[in-house]
Amino acid sequence: MSKKLAWTLFQYVLAFGLLAVVIWLNWNPGKDDGLSYVWHNRILTGDLNFVYLLLALVILTLSLAITLVRWYILVRTVGFDFTLRDAFRLGIIGFFFNAFLPGSVGGDLIKAAALAREKSDRRTRAVATVIMDRVIALWALIWFVAISGCIFWSVGGLTETAQLIVKIAAGIVGVTLTIWLAMGLLSDEQSERFAQWLSKAPKVGTSLGELWRAGWTYRRRQKSVALVMLISWVGHIGFVSAFYFGALVFTNDPASIPKYHEHFLLVPIGLVIQALPLFPGGAGIGELGFGTLYTWFGALLRYGVLGSLVMRILTWVIGFGGYFVYLSARSQFVDDEQEAEQTSGTEKAIAV
């Protein structure tokens, strides 16, 4: 067995082992606060709220589609000839691998590799679009927590724990916004000199220089970044809503889980925890994270675990569905490319 395969297997064992431990520690047979109660009184009896389950599936699907529109705008911003169809063609494969590869970013690597292969003349910048997609999405997530938290705080709807989360998010926003504004003080010439300086770094210099140039391109196109941020916020609202409805699948009492507006603070944190490395698709660590966050907001841990499991299953469904759509449409993509090449060849022959 190769070291790479052994390391991959270790990550899966770690993730699903942690998931098994979380379920076992919170099974609590014979008690009303454990997963055993839900299993025997909800799942086995079929007493589930399938309307909420369907709502979670639809909203999650739309939210994931929004992330592809966001990436499409970022790719177009740096001057690539890239269509929305291309974004969905590569993105649906990304969904599939995001659900199963460690750290919930495996699909990003697939998207980056595919785009780099198609845009081989500007490979580093192609990869940079995927990296910037993640960076801007994370920045938008922090802004989302800070802004929504301040709104809810102003009307007196936050606990002390939630207020601390808002303070931390606001602090990060302040620091990163200062850096973003400071970048605007540089001229194009100064930015290029800095990129050339980065390029001199051993081994990774060329990549660092191109990454800086890509970041500088986005800094100079603030309208595009603002649009991407807005799209990200819409997507975040979708992810929050999908998780909220997913948690309600197992209870008829909305008061048994954190309030809807409280999910605007806990879900983003849970998503960050779920993206930690070593855990394929965030398995195990996501359930532990969301369960713990639920207890911080005064709810039972089991509903946080169950909400995370619902989202995981729905993500698998969407991932597999997207993969089969890609396979069924792949031949059409190939035919279109061949037709385009033949048309281009014919035009060149006529010109000659």
Side-chain angles (χ1 to χ4, degrees):
M1 180 184 296
S2 66
K3 291 183 179 180
K4 184 177 181 180
L5 178 59
W7 176 245
T8 300
L9 290 176
F10 167 75
Q11 292 177 84
Y12 281 96
V13 171
L14 176 65
F16 287 97
L18 178 59
L19 178 58
V21 169
V22 171
I23 293 175
W24 177 69
L25 290 177
N26 295 280
W27 192 251
N28 294 341
K31 297 182 179 180
D32 293 345
D33 62 345
L35 293 171
S36 174
Y37 176 86
V38 177
W39 175 259
H40 291 289
N41 294 278
R42 294 287 185 183
I43 298 176
L44 292 183
T45 61
D47 186 18
L48 303 175
N49 197 318
F50 291 101
V51 174
Y52 285 139
L53 183 62
L54 180 60
L55 274 174
L57 175 60
V58 172
I59 294 173
L60 181 59
T61 302
L62 293 175
S63 300
L64 290 172
I66 287 173
T67 65
L68 297 184
V69 176
R70 182 185 67 207
W71 182 46
Y72 161 74
I73 294 173
L74 287 173
V75 175
R76 295 282 296 183
T77 298
V78 293
F80 283 131
D81 183 15
F82 194 66
T83 67
L84 192 58
R85 184 185 185 188
D86 292 329
F88 276 84
R89 175 168 60 90
L90 300 178
I92 56 179
I93 293 298
F95 289 160
F96 176 78
F97 286 100
N98 267 344
F100 300 104
L101 292 186
S104 295
V105 296
D108 289 347
L109 301 178
I110 302 300
K111 287 161 57 180
L115 184 59
R117 184 173 60 250
E118 296 185 6
K119 313 294 182 182
S120 57
D121 57 330
R122 289 181 288 175
R123 181 167 299 175
T124 303
R125 184 160 293 196
V127 175
T129 65
V130 179
I131 297 175
M132 290 301 296
D133 181 51
R134 275 284 173 166
V135 171
I136 294 178
L138 178 59
W139 199 33
L141 186 65
I142 298 171
W143 274 83
F144 183 79
V145 172
I147 294 174
S148 61
C150 287
I151 294 173
F152 296 133
W153 195 347
S154 66
V155 296
L158 294 183
T159 63
E160 291 185 2
T161 299
Q163 291 174 10
L164 177 60
I165 293 173
V166 174
K167 290 178 181 178
I168 294 173
I172 296 175
V173 167
V175 172
T176 54
L177 181 59
T178 300
I179 296 174
W180 179 258
L181 294 175
M183 287 179 64
L185 300 177
L186 298 175
S187 65
D188 291 338
E189 292 76 14
Q190 290 173 325
S191 175
E192 181 56 29
R193 283 201 298 269
F194 184 65
Q196 292 176 0
W197 179 77
L198 289 175
S199 300
K200 296 177 182 178
K203 296 183 180 180
V204 297
T206 301
S207 297
L208 287 177
E210 284 299 315
L211 286 173
W212 171 262
R213 290 185 180 98
W216 177 251
T217 299
Y218 291 122
R219 179 61 182 83
R220 302 295 287 177
R221 291 167 172 78
Q222 298 191 62
K223 289 184 179 180
S224 296
V225 174
L227 177 59
V228 168
M229 292 277 284
L230 180 60
I231 291 173
S232 295
W233 290 338
V234 174
H236 293 326
I237 292 174
F239 289 128
V240 168
S241 301
F243 192 98
Y244 178 75
F245 289 127
L248 285 175
V249 169
F250 301 97
T251 177
N252 294 323
D253 181 16
S256 61
I257 66 173
K259 297 180 177 63
Y260 177 66
H261 72 265
E262 290 176 332
H263 282 76
F264 280 76
L265 303 179
L266 69 88
V267 170
I269 298 174
L271 293 177
V272 173
I273 294 173
Q274 191 168 272
L276 293 175
L278 300 181
F279 301 92
I285 193 67
E287 283 67 33
L288 177 61
F290 278 110
T292 302
L293 287 167
Y294 260 45
T295 62
W296 287 4
F297 285 82
L300 292 176
L301 183 144
R302 75 180 185 198
Y303 288 120
V305 173
L306 290 169
S308 181
L309 285 172
V310 169
M311 292 292 284
R312 184 168 312 289
I313 294 172
L314 294 181
T315 301
W316 287 347
V317 170
I318 295 171
F320 275 116
Y323 184 69
F324 287 123
V325 169
Y326 171 80
L327 290 180
S328 63
R330 187 177 182 180
S331 59
Q332 182 61 44
F333 289 136
V334 173
D335 291 341
D336 290 347
E337 291 174 357
Q338 291 177 346
E339 182 180 348
E341 291 176 358
Q342 291 174 359
T343 301
S344 177
T346 302
E347 291 176 348
K348 289 180 180 179
I350 293 174
V352 174

